[in-house]
Amino acid sequence: MTDLSAYKELYLQTAYTYLHALQSNLRRYKENGENSTVINELHLSAHSLKSQSLVMGYMSTGYVCKELEYIFREIKDQKRSLTPQLSITMIECLKKLNDSLDSIKNSGKEIDLSSEKDVLEQISGVRTNN
Amino acid sequence: MKILLVDDDLFFQKFYSTKLKEAGYEVEIAGDGDEALTKLTQSQPNLMLLDMIMPKKDGFEVLETLSKNPQLVRPPIIVFSTLGDNEDVQKALTLGAVDYINKSFHDVENLKKKISLHLST
């Protein structure tokens, strides 16, 4: 088993970067409308934050990102639109993701994001096993 | 033995390059698909670890470029996958990847075994 504690600082550094990219790009998308570059960046950031979080064992954080990744992929593939309501839901999820990163930074433990995961699963229709 | 690690994510660049170097491999890093194709020709690695979701040219486009250009150097390619990417893995294997490693549930020993297997074939 790999000792991941040595990678915690690097994880946090890059995770916050991805989270801030998600927040700013979501704002841009909301303010300026459809933009393929922005949606690509949203998808990529969610994907990367998901992967890192799951590798580090922050499963609750990773699963929320997986749902976000899936929804952004659907928007990217034009199978779904980013409605104002969906935007609001995602912004709230990103706030909770920020809380989780803060908790990891301060205590080494993520927070429980199962409620946020459930909300996103209802939107995406894709269940993630816990 | 030289491994080309293709991943845009700084975390995974650091994580996997450290682990592979500890295992005795020489590691070169490419941050996107275009850089990967350039380094394949320049440094001719023995194996490539390829992430699929990247900016600019992604992993699928790298595999497609290699399959359409048989004159290009093509080492064994192991793709990285993460949770929920089963379709992407199947597509990558169809495009010529020889194996995959699940990034989500990290297993460095499994990665080393797969690398060893494909370097010996």
Side-chain angles (χ1 to χ4, degrees):
Chain A
M1 195 73 172
T2 301
D3 178 14
L4 291 171
S5 58
Y7 294 91
K8 182 183 154 195
E9 286 309 311
L10 179 59
Y11 164 77
L12 284 169
Q13 183 187 336
T14 50
Y16 275 118
T17 301
Y18 287 128
L19 180 63
H20 294 152
L22 281 164
Q23 289 168 327
S24 64
N25 279 319
L26 199 53
R27 263 196 305 275
R28 277 170 71 191
Y29 199 91
K30 203 173 152 213
E31 288 164 7
N32 301 322
E34 290 186 17
N35 182 313
S36 61
T37 302
V38 170
I39 197 61
N40 281 340
E41 287 177 11
L42 282 165
H43 176 248
L44 190 57
S45 295
H47 168 82
S48 298
L49 187 51
K50 172 198 78 175
S51 302
Q52 289 183 13
S53 299
L54 292 176
V55 164
M56 288 296 293
Y58 305 127
M59 308 308 282
S60 197
T61 303
Y63 288 148
V64 167
C65 293
K66 176 187 173 290
E67 292 296 328
L68 288 171
E69 180 197 17
Y70 185 87
I71 293 168
F72 286 134
R73 188 168 184 168
E74 286 204 311
I75 296 169
K76 190 176 147 183
D77 293 343
Q78 298 181 323
K79 292 177 182 173
R80 177 192 294 275
S81 298
L82 185 60
T83 61
Q85 183 56 47
L86 180 55
S87 235
I88 291 169
T89 300
M90 286 187 162
I91 288 169
E92 289 305 310
C93 285
L94 293 181
K95 284 181 189 170
K96 284 294 191 179
L97 280 174
N98 195 76
D99 291 344
S100 193
L101 293 185
D102 287 346
S103 178
I104 291 166
K105 181 180 172 186
N106 296 326
S107 71
K109 294 179 183 174
E110 61 177 343
I111 62 174
D112 181 1
L113 296 172
S114 48
S115 299
E116 285 71 26
K117 180 179 80 74
D118 289 344
V119 166
L120 292 173
E121 277 181 353
Q122 284 179 9
I123 295 168
S124 71
V126 176
R127 291 205 66 82
T128 300
N129 293 329
N130 283 327
Chain B
M1 289 288 187
K2 186 189 295 184
I3 294 175
L4 178 60
L5 171 62
V6 187
D7 200 313
D8 63 301
D9 191 297
L10 288 174
F11 174 87
F12 287 115
Q13 286 180 6
K14 176 77 177 172
F15 180 78
Y16 283 113
S17 65
T18 300
K19 294 300 173 188
L20 292 171
K21 285 175 184 172
E22 286 173 356
Y25 295 106
E26 184 183 340
V27 179
E28 197 159 350
I29 294 173
D32 60 59
D34 281 329
E35 194 180 353
L37 291 168
T38 300
K39 289 194 173 183
L40 268 180
T41 305
Q42 284 175 349
S43 62
Q44 301 197 5
N46 302 99
L47 183 140
M48 179 158 74
L49 294 174
L50 179 64
D51 192 27
M52 301 312 288
I53 310 295
M54 294 184 289
K56 299 180 190 177
K57 189 164 275 174
D58 65 20
F60 296 111
E61 290 171 288
V62 170
L63 290 169
E64 282 169 354
T65 299
L66 291 172
S67 67
K68 288 175 185 172
N69 294 279
Q71 76 281 6
L72 292 175
V73 171
R74 191 195 179 111
I77 300 172
I78 298 175
V79 297
F80 285 121
S81 76
T82 52
L83 185 67
D85 289 350
N86 293 335
E87 283 185 24
D88 288 347
V89 167
Q90 292 309 312
K91 185 178 172 186
L93 294 173
T94 304
L95 286 171
V98 299
D99 210 332
Y100 69 95
I101 278 289
N102 197 333
K103 223 191 228 186
S104 302
F105 304 102
H106 65 282
D107 187 344
V108 176
E109 291 309 308
N110 192 25
L111 172 62
K112 291 176 192 172
K113 283 179 190 169
K114 290 197 173 193
I115 289 172
S116 188
L117 169 68
H118 292 293
L119 282 175
S120 64
T121 54

